[in-house]
Amino acid sequence: MNSPGWFVFLRAYLLGMACGWMGFEAAQAAGDRVAFTGLPAQRPRSNYTFIDAFPGLTFQQPLAITHPPGETNRLFIVEKTGRIIVITNLAMPTRSVFLALTTNLLTSSEQGVLGLAFHPRYAENGRFFVFRTMRTGPSGVLAAHDVLSEFRVSATDPNKADPASERRLFAQYDDAPNHNGGDLHFGPDGYLYVSLGDEGGGNDSYQNGQRIDRELFAGILRLDVDFRPGSLLPNRNETNPAEAWMITTNYAIPADNPFVGTTNFLGKAVDPKKVRTEFWAVGLRNPWRMSFDRVTGELWVGDVGQDRWEMVHVTGRGANHGWPFREGPVAGPRTGAPADFTNNAAHRYTPALYNYAHGTGNFQGNSVIGGRVYRGRRIPALDGAYIFADSVRGHVWSLRRQPSGPPQVERLTALNVGVAFGEDPRDGELLAAAINAGQIQRLTTTPSGDPTFPKTLAETGAFTDPARLTAHPAFDAYEVNLPFWSDFAVKQRWFSLPPRQTVSFSEDSPWLTPAGTVWMKHFELELTRGVPESRRRLETRFLVRTTNGVYGLTYRWTSPTTATLVAEAGEDESIPIRDGDVLRNQIWHYPSQNECLTCHNPKAGGSLSFNTRQLHRDRTTAAGSTESQLAAWKAAGYFSNPPEVLRTLPRYSEPDSPMAGPRSPTSLEWQVRRYLDVNCAFCHQPGGLGGGLWDARITTPTDAAGLVDGVVLNSAGVSGARVIAPGDVGRSVLLHRMSRKDALRMPPLGSNETDPLGAALLTQWIQALSSKVSFSDWLSKHTGIPYPSEPPRDNDSDGDGNSDYLEFLGNTDPTLAANRWRPLWETGSAGPHLRLRRPANVSLRLEGSASLDSPEWRPVDAPGNEPGFLNHELSLDIALPTNAAVQFYRVVWTTP
């Protein structure tokens, strides 16, 4: 069971008694359902090209593109020759020099200003980092060095840097002008990642490729520039005393970096005091460009090969990519690798995800440009594909991983000697730095390559009677427990499952659906708030599961019976709304095809509502009766692995209660957590678009979600900002951003209206948190022992078999053994049953097993064993089965 919260298994109350499991009927065969064929099973292929993104603006050898986190109207271009350019007002762009770094700069070969990264909290602290090659050294003796420096923005002009603010993190001597790497990115974890080549020359001339106890070459570094608690100081390189000045204490080493404390590398002893603990990954020849996928959090790297192969890596903690022992799939130029280098996990060898050979064919080249995973809005066909290129041959490719076997790679177009990719901060569209043309170019589709979809809703055949919204027989109507906020819209939903196909059921994760599954959602809006008769049809959306993802389409109703396909880029409409005595215009946004995929992303599972908590509910049939939605689908054979017990499955309540506040029997914390799960979790989860600092998923307990007192990436101008600041609505950025209507609004897509009930709910919870007693304070009060930090939850101060944390949840005395939570066993004419006290804001689940040694515990199918988080204590009386052999029982406690 992967429910949210902290689990308490009651060893003291495993009870043996005569009882058995109830039988469950088997799922029926899927049968021959009607197929829906009104939309393409796969998104048609587009034709691609690059165009000048900012006509009239030229640049001197541009080679890096970036922007500060959270900003949408500025773009920064790094010029190899020493300048960092800022483009402001991107709709009518103007340019100026943000920072010039020409003094002692080296620009021959692969040298120059090579990388730029803005601190995740740049809006607060104005810090940014630059990698460049320059002549520098101690006592005025100048030589070529790779230099990583921190700067700050001017205190008086946001479009100017303060050159006097430079603070060097390191400077290391570099023998050759090539293989410098120099790319900089902050990861989802908030640490700074730095790529460096093997120092240059050929055949790993300077023998850096497989060393972790000398210089910082041939790998990717991970640095803590904020000196977080627990981080370490870097080891100094004492092999060359003349260079000792280069190592500073202006950064720290994350304690979980992979080579911290290492005593053995490639089967040989190394001195842990000499190990360069900055390394995150090693064995790279020239990782010229890398990028994080802002949905998955994965780090993609393009590593330039030598004579035969170019490599694309998805790297990770401690990965060794093999250079110079390996060049892609073949042996590299250096011998001496351990005999088991490629097959001994201790060496951490990680082969490339994709290799391409040197040559002139459409899938060959000579110098890879590490790209980006496409997450823009205008080219849905590329969503989730890694876009990369070759700087010599000009090929631009897309790469998609497959469930098994090698990735699928397609050639998209050609680029005029590009050297880097970036994103347009307005919409996430892919940009390329064309160094020879002196341009920043945008990837786009040509008109002749636009996908062909039905131009009208009628052509799809989704409704046999559009006037009455009578769906095609292939569709089954469904309802959800807690709808996503959609600007006051009223919605209806249907889905179509292909014949002889089934859904893979999961209690906690998104259900897995087969290719060919289609979801349809219809939107209407009351033109007079509170008057259902004033509803007007707005749009009908489709989401189609393909073999490699999903695609979305929107049809806009132009009359009560006609709807037409919305342009691929999306549309907006101003709609007059009467709200009481006020008449105002509401802007309704019809999403672009790729905006659908921003929320319906792979990390979120594609379809946002196809999960147990949303769909475990009763629904009204066409005949007017009530039935369990899951039971009906189970009987219809929709599941490949149907759940045995329904009543114990997690669920959200019906939509009339989530915003009831103190009038709702549901606990306030649970109301907030399920609201955030539905409205925020598709971005705010590890590896998600929200940056991963806090986790909105309902399966993550509140005290582990980074939510209460959690740090923020963008303070939105709020002083002392936290995700949620207990008792302080003013410092709670989550509430602040969901209450705005500008570019900082959350959620950032598909919504122009604030959710008043959602904001009121969150406000109430923030205020209530000010009086919430922590576990450590509660335990200190009872024991008289001060706890400066969180005490161990498994301690049992009074030895009564209940942990201190269970006593905290159950509101019993942790120092008095007689005062403990325990179930009461009773027998009678009706058979055995248990009486349980369920504390407020705690859900209990009674589970049983035929043996204490069995790893499989099943929920008991009995009234009273339904999950729930209430704002009050509840007494449960659960009848137990009586028709089987002796079983053992346990109670599992769960918190939100």
Side-chain angles (χ1 to χ4, degrees):
M1 176 179 178
N2 296 316
S3 300
W6 191 74
F7 300 94
V8 182
F9 294 89
L10 303 180
R11 295 188 300 270
Y13 300 114
L14 292 170
L15 310 174
M17 60 201 71
C19 53
W21 288 108
M22 301 292 290
F24 299 95
E25 68 174 352
Q28 299 175 12
D32 292 326
R33 287 187 292 270
V34 177
F36 176 68
T37 58
L39 293 172
Q42 302 292 331
R43 184 176 179 83
R45 174 177 169 79
S46 298
N47 294 324
Y48 303 95
T49 189
F50 280 91
I51 61 172
D52 190 353
F54 303 103
L57 299 186
T58 58
F59 305 88
Q60 298 177 9
Q61 299 184 48
L63 49 66
I65 306 166
T66 190
H67 62 274
E71 291 198 18
T72 59
N73 205 25
R74 288 197 302 175
L75 191 67
F76 289 76
I77 311 300
V78 175
E79 295 181 332
K80 182 177 185 290
T81 50
R83 298 184 306 176
I84 297 175
I85 304 298
V86 56
I87 307 175
T88 56
N89 189 17
L90 300 183
M92 300 181 64
T94 59
R95 53 167 290 160
S96 61
V97 177
F98 180 68
L99 178 63
L101 295 171
T102 55
T103 302
N104 290 327
L105 186 71
L106 296 169
T107 60
S108 66
S109 184
E110 297 170 12
Q111 297 173 318
V113 180
L114 303 179
L116 167 67
F118 292 94
H119 192 280
R121 296 191 297 277
Y122 178 76
E124 299 175 35
N125 58 37
R127 301 168 65 194
F128 64 96
F129 299 80
V130 178
F131 188 101
R132 69 193 192 272
T133 57
M134 62 180 296
R135 291 173 57 81
T136 186
S139 304
V141 179
L142 305 184
H145 284 75
D146 300 324
V147 178
L148 175 64
S149 296
E150 174 185 332
F151 293 86
R152 291 181 182 261
V153 71
S154 166
T156 58
D157 187 346
N159 294 318
K160 294 287 185 183
D162 178 4
S165 66
E166 180 175 9
R167 186 176 71 154
R168 289 185 180 175
L169 278 70
F170 66 73
Q172 68 175 0
Y173 178 75
D174 194 334
D175 273 295
N178 60 339
H179 302 184
N180 301 307
D183 205 8
L184 304 178
H185 294 275
F186 279 91
D189 54 11
Y191 293 121
L192 179 63
Y193 290 72
V194 186
S195 73
L196 290 111
D198 66 1
E199 196 175 5
N203 300 316
D204 190 32
S205 301
Y206 305 104
Q207 299 186 9
N208 293 308
Q210 293 292 331
R211 293 292 297 270
I212 62 168
D213 57 352
R214 203 165 60 175
E215 281 78 37
L216 301 174
F217 288 114
I220 294 170
L221 316 181
R222 179 178 183 246
L223 312 179
D224 176 7
V225 299
D226 297 313
F227 292 90
R228 301 182 190 180
S231 288
L232 312 170
L233 290 178
N235 294 327
R236 287 180 174 271
N237 178 10
E238 305 294 353
T239 59
N240 184 352
E243 299 291 344
W245 71 279
M246 301 184 302
I247 307 301
T248 73
T249 56
N250 291 335
Y251 65 90
I253 305 298
D256 62 343
N257 267 15
F259 299 107
V260 171
T262 292
T263 59
N264 187 288
F265 183 70
L266 300 182
K268 297 180 179 179
V270 292
D271 184 348
K273 295 181 180 179
K274 294 182 179 180
V275 168
R276 304 311 303 272
T277 51
E278 292 91 335
F279 279 118
W280 177 251
V282 297
L284 294 162
R285 181 176 180 269
N286 187 19
W288 166 242
R289 286 296 177 252
M290 61 182 180
S291 65
F292 285 95
D293 180 355
R294 52 189 169 92
V295 169
T296 67
E298 293 173 310
L299 180 55
W300 293 71
V301 182
D303 189 22
V304 180
Q306 180 167 288
D307 298 321
R308 291 176 285 180
W309 294 91
E310 302 296 306
M311 288 73 68
V312 172
H313 299 284
V314 177
T315 194
R317 184 179 186 275
N320 187 332
H321 295 294
W323 176 258
F325 297 148
R326 306 288 298 175
E327 182 184 357
V330 301
R334 195 197 317 168
T335 60
D340 59 352
F341 176 67
T342 61
N343 56 27
N344 186 337
H347 302 318
R348 304 181 182 181
Y349 173 64
T350 306
L353 173 65
Y354 178 69
N355 306 280
Y356 68 89
H358 286 197
T360 60
N362 281 343
F363 294 91
Q364 296 177 317
N366 290 84
S367 183
V368 67
I369 304 171
R372 302 184 77 93
V373 176
Y374 181 83
R375 299 296 180 188
R377 305 178 186 176
R378 297 180 180 272
I379 314 177
L382 294 182
D383 184 69
Y386 180 67
I387 312 301
F388 66 110
D390 188 274
S391 66
V392 175
R393 300 300 173 188
H395 302 306
V396 178
W397 299 286
S398 69
L399 178 152
R400 291 186 185 275
R401 282 178 290 192
Q402 302 300 305
S404 61
Q408 178 185 12
V409 178
E410 294 185 65
R411 185 183 184 276
L412 302 181
T413 185
L415 180 62
N416 181 17
V417 190
V419 292
F421 291 102
E423 288 186 351
D424 190 318
R426 294 170 293 182
D427 52 17
E429 289 306 306
L430 189 75
L431 301 177
I435 190 169
N436 283 3
Q439 293 180 342
I440 303 302
Q441 299 182 345
R442 174 182 287 108
L443 180 65
T444 187
T445 56
T446 60
S448 61
D450 286 344
T452 300
F453 292 111
K455 299 303 181 184
T456 67
L457 184 59
E459 292 177 41
T460 70
F463 292 113
T464 57
D465 185 347
R468 298 183 180 181
L469 293 183
T470 303
H472 184 283
F475 285 96
D476 192 353
Y478 70 98
E479 301 173 17
V480 300
N481 281 320
L482 184 59
F484 176 82
W485 168 249
S486 298
D487 288 7
F488 299 102
V490 179
K491 293 169 282 189
Q492 294 175 258
R493 300 168 180 83
W494 301 261
F495 78 98
S496 172
L497 194 65
R500 293 172 295 282
Q501 297 291 310
T502 55
V503 174
S504 178
F505 176 86
S506 172
E507 183 171 313
D508 287 313
S509 302
W511 296 352
L512 299 180
T513 53
T517 304
V518 180
W519 294 269
M520 180 168 62
K521 185 159 59 173
H522 177 74
F523 293 74
E524 297 185 358
L525 190 66
E526 292 177 351
L527 301 185
T528 301
R529 293 275 187 263
V531 180
E533 294 77 15
S534 69
R535 286 184 189 173
R536 179 196 136 184
R537 293 182 179 183
L538 296 179
E539 60 176 280
T540 298
R541 297 180 189 173
F542 292 93
L543 190 71
V544 180
R545 173 76 68 189
T546 68
T547 55
N548 56 9
V550 296
Y551 74 81
L553 297 174
T554 299
Y555 288 85
R556 177 178 177 177
W557 289 84
T558 55
S559 76
T561 58
T562 305
T564 58
L565 182 64
V566 169
E568 187 173 0
E571 300 173 9
D572 290 298
E573 181 184 5
S574 179
I575 303 174
I577 300 292
R578 179 166 293 281
D579 193 352
D581 295 331
V582 177
L583 183 65
R584 64 182 183 85
N585 286 333
Q586 175 177 332
I587 303 300
W588 182 264
H589 180 65
Y590 300 90
S592 70
Q593 292 174 20
N594 213 42
E595 280 178 312
C596 298
L597 305 184
T598 302
C599 297
H600 294 274
N601 59 69
K603 197 74 176 176
S607 173
L608 302 183
S609 64
F610 245 53
N611 60 71
T612 300
R613 287 177 175 82
Q614 282 285 36
L615 300 176
H616 179 26
R617 57 165 293 154
D618 290 337
R619 67 177 182 180
T620 303
T621 67
S625 61
T626 299
E627 66 178 1
S628 163
Q629 193 162 243
L630 294 191
W633 292 346
K634 179 179 175 180
Y638 278 5
F639 298 117
S640 59
N641 55 334
E644 292 182 333
V645 181
L646 297 183
R647 75 168 70 247
T648 60
L649 293 175
R651 63 183 295 173
Y652 297 137
S653 64
E654 271 60 28
D656 58 347
S657 67
M659 306 308 168
R663 299 186 302 277
S664 172
T666 306
S667 76
L668 183 58
E669 182 179 354
W670 180 243
Q671 292 180 57
V672 170
R673 290 305 312 278
R674 67 189 178 192
Y675 179 86
L676 297 179
D677 181 68
V678 171
N679 290 277
C680 308
F682 49 84
C683 282
H684 288 280
Q685 59 175 287
L689 297 176
L693 290 188
W694 66 279
D695 190 350
R697 293 175 301 171
I698 201 67
T699 50
T700 301
T702 301
D703 57 5
L707 186 60
V708 178
D709 263 332
V711 297
V712 297
L713 283 176
N714 187 342
S715 68
V718 175
S719 178
R722 289 292 183 267
V723 179
I724 292 295
D728 192 338
V729 295
R731 293 194 300 117
S732 298
V733 169
L734 177 55
L735 176 62
H736 177 74
R737 295 191 66 179
M738 68 180 287
S739 302
R740 299 175 67 127
K741 289 191 175 182
D742 57 12
L744 290 176
R745 161 125 174 82
M746 284 293 171
L749 295 174
S751 181
N752 294 301
E753 296 287 323
T754 58
D755 180 0
L757 294 178
L761 174 67
L762 196 59
T763 299
Q764 183 185 352
W765 186 54
I766 293 169
Q767 294 170 340
L769 286 172
S770 63
S771 58
K772 182 177 181 179
V773 178
S774 69
F775 172 49
S776 57
D777 289 345
W778 176 87
L779 192 58
S780 294
K781 179 181 177 180
H782 281 277
T783 63
I785 302 172
Y787 294 97
S789 59
E790 179 86 352
R793 294 186 172 187
D794 291 331
N795 281 357
D796 183 1
S797 297
D798 56 11
D800 63 359
N802 287 356
S803 71
D804 290 344
Y805 192 69
L806 187 148
E807 304 235 29
F808 169 63
L809 297 177
N811 196 28
T812 54
D813 192 332
T815 65
L816 186 62
N819 183 222
R820 59 177 178 170
W821 181 94
R822 59 180 179 178
L824 179 63
W825 162 256
E826 292 184 354
T827 58
S829 59
H833 58 101
L834 285 180
R835 294 188 184 275
L836 307 174
R837 178 177 62 85
R838 188 166 78 183
N841 201 33
V842 171
S843 185
L844 304 183
R845 184 159 93 168
L846 181 65
E847 298 179 343
S849 175
S851 168
L852 283 176
D853 298 327
S854 172
E856 186 173 347
W857 291 79
R858 299 182 180 181
V860 174
D861 187 12
N865 202 24
E866 297 84 1
F869 298 91
L870 302 181
N871 60 16
H872 59 276
E873 187 174 291
L874 183 67
S875 295
L876 301 175
D877 188 345
I878 303 178
L880 300 174
T882 60
N883 60 344
V886 172
Q887 287 202 23
F888 296 87
Y889 288 84
R890 69 182 181 186
V891 179
V892 181
W893 291 44
T894 310
T895 59

